[in-house]
Structures are given as C-alpha cells and as structure tokens.
Amino acid sequence: MPYALVPDGYKLQKVTKDQKVAVDKHVSNEAVQAFLDGPASGELVKAVAIVVTPIVLAALAKGPLTEGADKLTTNILNSLGIDLSALGEFNI
C-alpha cells in the first residue's frame, strides 16, 4: 500500500491506490491555484506575449497560405474524409 500526506492535518498514512490518486490530484490542483494566484502567472503571460507576438506578426506578413501549407491542409482534410474538390478553388 502506498503512503500519502493526507490534507486533513497533513499526516502520513497508508492509503489505497484510489485515495493516492485523489490526494495527488488535490495537491496538483492546489499547486496550480497557488501559481495562478501569485505574481508569477502575470509575468508568464507577458513573457509568452513577447515571444509569440513577433512569430504571429511574421506569419501574417507573409500573406496568404503558401502552396505547401495548402497541400498539407488538403491532405489533412482528405485523411478525415472531407472532400473540398466540389467547392472548386478558393482563396483564404
């Protein structure tokens, strides 16, 4: 049987596998909530915006989809069983 720090008083005790999973999920949720409530989450958003914005702007500056991306999209749609050939050609 595994051991876990049970949140009720944080005592170490033997638990079943299901109880261990529940405790692990609880601790994980608390850690995520603590991160989101803290100042670091705002800094993370700023960092992601600084990194992602130039990439998005560069992609937009290239204009419409290139032929390679168009073929890739067509292959994906075909593999899903979606046939757009009846629509004819169109530009995005």
Side-chain angles (χ1 to χ4, degrees):
M1 269 190 143
Y3 286 89
L5 277 175
V6 179
D8 185 28
Y10 294 103
K11 58 184 175 182
L12 186 64
Q13 64 183 42
K14 283 186 177 182
V15 292
T16 65
K17 288 182 181 181
D18 290 338
Q19 289 172 326
K20 174 82 169 118
V21 169
V23 168
D24 290 345
K25 284 183 181 180
H26 176 74
V27 170
S28 176
N29 287 339
E30 282 187 346
V32 169
Q33 190 62 43
F35 172 76
L36 293 176
D37 289 343
S41 61
E43 296 301 317
L44 177 64
V45 170
K46 289 178 192 174
V48 168
I50 289 170
V51 170
V52 171
T53 301
I55 295 169
V56 171
L57 291 175
L60 291 174
K62 288 184 178 179
L65 291 175
T66 63
E67 186 177 327
D70 191 34
K71 286 182 181 178
L72 177 64
T73 305
T74 303
N75 288 338
I76 292 170
L77 292 174
N78 288 340
S79 67
L80 294 173
I82 301 170
D83 183 20
L84 297 178
S85 62
L87 296 175
E89 291 194 29
F90 56 92
N91 292 324
I92 298 176

